[in-house]
Amino acid sequence: MPQRLLMHGISCKTGDAEQGTVPCFKGSRKIMQIKRVKSITPKSEYFQEILLSDGKNTFYNSKNRVFIHDGKQTMTFPIKKSYYCLFIDGFAYVVNEHGSLYCINLKDQHCTVLQKNFGVDCNLYRVFDNKLLVSAKHNEFYRKAYIVNHTDVKEICCQPKYCWDILGLGNQIYFVSINSLKERNRELSIYQYPMRNDSTPLYKISKDVPLTNYSIEPNNDYIAYANGKTIEVFDFSGTSRIKFKVPETVYSINWVSNGKYFLISAMFALYIYDGEDFSLIKKVEFPKSSRFLDVKCNYDSHYLCAITNDETTLFAVD
């Protein structure tokens, strides 16, 4: 029987998965800890209140303000409708639903608007050690990439045509390009920054692939796809490495802790797998009254934010 740990209505299971659903390799003896750091109760399921941390500073938000706690004091800033924050080198970068990027100097608590017109649906990543990558949606088919060094913003001009997604993973930047929004016969190509002189991709697949449920692991050159309850992992040469089923329909997939763990979010639970052999390590269950809205995490982070309609919870994984 698996060991069971209770955390304020959230339960964690460890041990082997059910036979025939998830591969569990006997050679995997990885021991991990998942700790519930903090929870807040959102006032509305239509506005996501989030918790993010770098281990020293904790960010949380409301509809009209953001809060940063540095362990001693809580700083408040009048930023409306923020939905993500990233801490880099003594600065907090905050983006809101209007496409504005704010830079907060944590030492003097000064808040600056770096740019107001990035566009909607901006994603933030740490790249090249202590620089910020902004992936901003320009239109339905195209994203633009910007590198921010403290307060200096520069656009990356060399990008593939039809750049659907831009990912910052450790010290790598990847461009994801598609040839069609229609699923049938869609081609997906992955390019690495800086792009090759002949503009050939690192990876290309010509099959019906999802546009949302995919994730890249740069250390092993893996790309994973989720379709319903099925996960399939390829390497960049196009070779299928593993294919397995999970107990629930998959909402999202991510590698976290620099590829150490592979995270799957479903309707009522988080499934945490070994990032290399994909053996199930832990299952974190939520109350049946909860409904998953989102999971926010970064590849190089040891923290993840799980958002349901009842509660937002910050977890630390090690």
Side-chain angles (χ1 to χ4, degrees), residues 279-292:
S279 56
L280 179 63
I281 300 174
K282 280 194 178 180
K283 176 184 178 182
V284 182
E285 292 181 306
F286 290 83
K288 294 299 182 182
S289 60
S290 298
R291 177 170 56 86
F292 246 123

PDB file of all heavy atoms in Angstrom, residues 279-292:
ATOM      1  N   SER A 279       9.156   7.282 -14.086  1.00  0.00           N
ATOM      2  CA  SER A 279       8.476   6.504 -13.057  1.00  0.00           C
ATOM      3  C   SER A 279       7.718   7.459 -12.146  1.00  0.00           C
ATOM      4  O   SER A 279       8.172   8.570 -11.866  1.00  0.00           O
ATOM      5  CB  SER A 279       9.481   5.681 -12.249  1.00  0.00           C
ATOM      6  OG  SER A 279      10.481   6.521 -11.696  1.00  0.00           O
ATOM      7  N   LEU A 280       6.539   7.048 -11.696  1.00  0.00           N
ATOM      8  CA  LEU A 280       5.712   7.891 -10.844  1.00  0.00           C
ATOM      9  C   LEU A 280       6.331   7.982  -9.455  1.00  0.00           C
ATOM     10  O   LEU A 280       6.613   6.967  -8.821  1.00  0.00           O
ATOM     11  CB  LEU A 280       4.294   7.331 -10.750  1.00  0.00           C
ATOM     12  CG  LEU A 280       3.319   8.105  -9.863  1.00  0.00           C
ATOM     13  CD1 LEU A 280       3.091   9.509 -10.415  1.00  0.00           C
ATOM     14  CD2 LEU A 280       1.992   7.361  -9.747  1.00  0.00           C
ATOM     15  N   ILE A 281       6.535   9.219  -8.988  1.00  0.00           N
ATOM     16  CA  ILE A 281       7.118   9.442  -7.668  1.00  0.00           C
ATOM     17  C   ILE A 281       6.046   9.803  -6.650  1.00  0.00           C
ATOM     18  O   ILE A 281       5.971   9.221  -5.573  1.00  0.00           O
ATOM     19  CB  ILE A 281       8.191  10.550  -7.722  1.00  0.00           C
ATOM     20  CG1 ILE A 281       9.313  10.156  -8.680  1.00  0.00           C
ATOM     21  CG2 ILE A 281       8.761  10.809  -6.324  1.00  0.00           C
ATOM     22  CD1 ILE A 281      10.337  11.253  -8.895  1.00  0.00           C
ATOM     23  N   LYS A 282       5.186  10.768  -7.008  1.00  0.00           N
ATOM     24  CA  LYS A 282       4.143  11.184  -6.074  1.00  0.00           C
ATOM     25  C   LYS A 282       2.902  11.652  -6.817  1.00  0.00           C
ATOM     26  O   LYS A 282       2.974  12.153  -7.937  1.00  0.00           O
ATOM     27  CB  LYS A 282       4.628  12.313  -5.165  1.00  0.00           C
ATOM     28  CG  LYS A 282       5.476  11.843  -3.999  1.00  0.00           C
ATOM     29  CD  LYS A 282       5.649  12.936  -2.965  1.00  0.00           C
ATOM     30  CE  LYS A 282       6.460  12.424  -1.781  1.00  0.00           C
ATOM     31  NZ  LYS A 282       6.654  13.449  -0.754  1.00  0.00           N
ATOM     32  N   LYS A 283       1.788  11.479  -6.126  1.00  0.00           N
ATOM     33  CA  LYS A 283       0.512  12.008  -6.583  1.00  0.00           C
ATOM     34  C   LYS A 283      -0.021  12.934  -5.497  1.00  0.00           C
ATOM     35  O   LYS A 283      -0.160  12.536  -4.343  1.00  0.00           O
ATOM     36  CB  LYS A 283      -0.474  10.882  -6.851  1.00  0.00           C
ATOM     37  CG  LYS A 283      -1.874  11.356  -7.251  1.00  0.00           C
ATOM     38  CD  LYS A 283      -2.828  10.174  -7.400  1.00  0.00           C
ATOM     39  CE  LYS A 283      -4.232  10.640  -7.745  1.00  0.00           C
ATOM     40  NZ  LYS A 283      -5.184   9.505  -7.848  1.00  0.00           N
ATOM     41  N   VAL A 284      -0.296  14.179  -5.855  1.00  0.00           N
ATOM     42  CA  VAL A 284      -0.848  15.155  -4.910  1.00  0.00           C
ATOM     43  C   VAL A 284      -2.316  15.349  -5.258  1.00  0.00           C
ATOM     44  O   VAL A 284      -2.641  15.849  -6.330  1.00  0.00           O
ATOM     45  CB  VAL A 284      -0.089  16.497  -4.984  1.00  0.00           C
ATOM     46  CG1 VAL A 284      -0.647  17.483  -3.966  1.00  0.00           C
ATOM     47  CG2 VAL A 284       1.404  16.285  -4.763  1.00  0.00           C
ATOM     48  N   GLU A 285      -3.193  14.937  -4.360  1.00  0.00           N
ATOM     49  CA  GLU A 285      -4.625  14.998  -4.628  1.00  0.00           C
ATOM     50  C   GLU A 285      -5.246  16.237  -3.999  1.00  0.00           C
ATOM     51  O   GLU A 285      -4.819  16.697  -2.938  1.00  0.00           O
ATOM     52  CB  GLU A 285      -5.321  13.751  -4.079  1.00  0.00           C
ATOM     53  CG  GLU A 285      -4.962  12.474  -4.810  1.00  0.00           C
ATOM     54  CD  GLU A 285      -5.706  11.280  -4.241  1.00  0.00           C
ATOM     55  OE1 GLU A 285      -5.606  11.065  -3.019  1.00  0.00           O
ATOM     56  OE2 GLU A 285      -6.381  10.591  -5.015  1.00  0.00           O
ATOM     57  N   PHE A 286      -6.270  16.747  -4.669  1.00  0.00           N
ATOM     58  CA  PHE A 286      -7.036  17.883  -4.174  1.00  0.00           C
ATOM     59  C   PHE A 286      -8.465  17.429  -3.872  1.00  0.00           C
ATOM     60  O   PHE A 286      -8.928  16.429  -4.416  1.00  0.00           O
ATOM     61  CB  PHE A 286      -7.035  19.013  -5.201  1.00  0.00           C
ATOM     62  CG  PHE A 286      -5.697  19.674  -5.357  1.00  0.00           C
ATOM     63  CD1 PHE A 286      -4.729  19.114  -6.175  1.00  0.00           C
ATOM     64  CD2 PHE A 286      -5.403  20.841  -4.681  1.00  0.00           C
ATOM     65  CE1 PHE A 286      -3.487  19.713  -6.314  1.00  0.00           C
ATOM     66  CE2 PHE A 286      -4.167  21.437  -4.818  1.00  0.00           C
ATOM     67  CZ  PHE A 286      -3.209  20.878  -5.627  1.00  0.00           C
ATOM     68  N   PRO A 287      -9.173  18.155  -3.014  1.00  0.00           N
ATOM     69  CA  PRO A 287     -10.563  17.775  -2.700  1.00  0.00           C
ATOM     70  C   PRO A 287     -11.414  17.706  -3.959  1.00  0.00           C
ATOM     71  O   PRO A 287     -11.207  18.450  -4.916  1.00  0.00           O
ATOM     72  CB  PRO A 287     -11.027  18.903  -1.766  1.00  0.00           C
ATOM     73  CG  PRO A 287      -9.778  19.464  -1.175  1.00  0.00           C
ATOM     74  CD  PRO A 287      -8.732  19.338  -2.248  1.00  0.00           C
ATOM     75  N   LYS A 288     -12.398  16.801  -3.953  1.00  0.00           N
ATOM     76  CA  LYS A 288     -13.248  16.620  -5.125  1.00  0.00           C
ATOM     77  C   LYS A 288     -14.078  17.862  -5.446  1.00  0.00           C
ATOM     78  O   LYS A 288     -14.560  18.018  -6.560  1.00  0.00           O
ATOM     79  CB  LYS A 288     -14.172  15.416  -4.910  1.00  0.00           C
ATOM     80  CG  LYS A 288     -13.451  14.083  -4.822  1.00  0.00           C
ATOM     81  CD  LYS A 288     -12.685  13.769  -6.098  1.00  0.00           C
ATOM     82  CE  LYS A 288     -12.013  12.412  -6.014  1.00  0.00           C
ATOM     83  NZ  LYS A 288     -11.222  12.112  -7.239  1.00  0.00           N
ATOM     84  N   SER A 289     -14.225  18.746  -4.469  1.00  0.00           N
ATOM     85  CA  SER A 289     -14.965  19.987  -4.718  1.00  0.00           C
ATOM     86  C   SER A 289     -14.139  20.994  -5.512  1.00  0.00           C
ATOM     87  O   SER A 289     -14.660  21.965  -6.042  1.00  0.00           O
ATOM     88  CB  SER A 289     -15.397  20.620  -3.392  1.00  0.00           C
ATOM     89  OG  SER A 289     -14.267  20.927  -2.589  1.00  0.00           O
ATOM     90  N   SER A 290     -12.823  20.757  -5.573  1.00  0.00           N
ATOM     91  CA  SER A 290     -11.930  21.679  -6.282  1.00  0.00           C
ATOM     92  C   SER A 290     -11.908  21.361  -7.771  1.00  0.00           C
ATOM     93  O   SER A 290     -12.078  20.223  -8.184  1.00  0.00           O
ATOM     94  CB  SER A 290     -10.511  21.583  -5.715  1.00  0.00           C
ATOM     95  OG  SER A 290     -10.468  21.953  -4.363  1.00  0.00           O
ATOM     96  N   ARG A 291     -11.650  22.384  -8.545  1.00  0.00           N
ATOM     97  CA  ARG A 291     -11.499  22.227  -9.992  1.00  0.00           C
ATOM     98  C   ARG A 291     -10.250  22.971 -10.417  1.00  0.00           C
ATOM     99  O   ARG A 291     -10.065  24.140 -10.133  1.00  0.00           O
ATOM    100  CB  ARG A 291     -12.717  22.794 -10.724  1.00  0.00           C
ATOM    101  CG  ARG A 291     -12.616  22.741 -12.244  1.00  0.00           C
ATOM    102  CD  ARG A 291     -13.953  23.099 -12.876  1.00  0.00           C
ATOM    103  NE  ARG A 291     -14.429  24.403 -12.442  1.00  0.00           N
ATOM    104  CZ  ARG A 291     -14.081  25.556 -13.018  1.00  0.00           C
ATOM    105  NH1 ARG A 291     -13.236  25.551 -14.039  1.00  0.00           N
ATOM    106  NH2 ARG A 291     -14.576  26.693 -12.592  1.00  0.00           N
ATOM    107  N   PHE A 292      -9.341  22.254 -11.090  1.00  0.00           N
ATOM    108  CA  PHE A 292      -8.073  22.850 -11.485  1.00  0.00           C
ATOM    109  C   PHE A 292      -8.281  23.943 -12.519  1.00  0.00           C
ATOM    110  O   PHE A 292      -8.995  23.766 -13.502  1.00  0.00           O
ATOM    111  CB  PHE A 292      -7.152  21.786 -12.086  1.00  0.00           C
ATOM    112  CG  PHE A 292      -5.945  21.519 -11.252  1.00  0.00           C
ATOM    113  CD1 PHE A 292      -5.682  20.251 -10.792  1.00  0.00           C
ATOM    114  CD2 PHE A 292      -5.076  22.537 -10.912  1.00  0.00           C
ATOM    115  CE1 PHE A 292      -4.574  19.984 -10.025  1.00  0.00           C
ATOM    116  CE2 PHE A 292      -3.964  22.297 -10.138  1.00  0.00           C
ATOM    117  CZ  PHE A 292      -3.713  21.008  -9.691  1.00  0.00           C
TER     118      PHE A 292
END
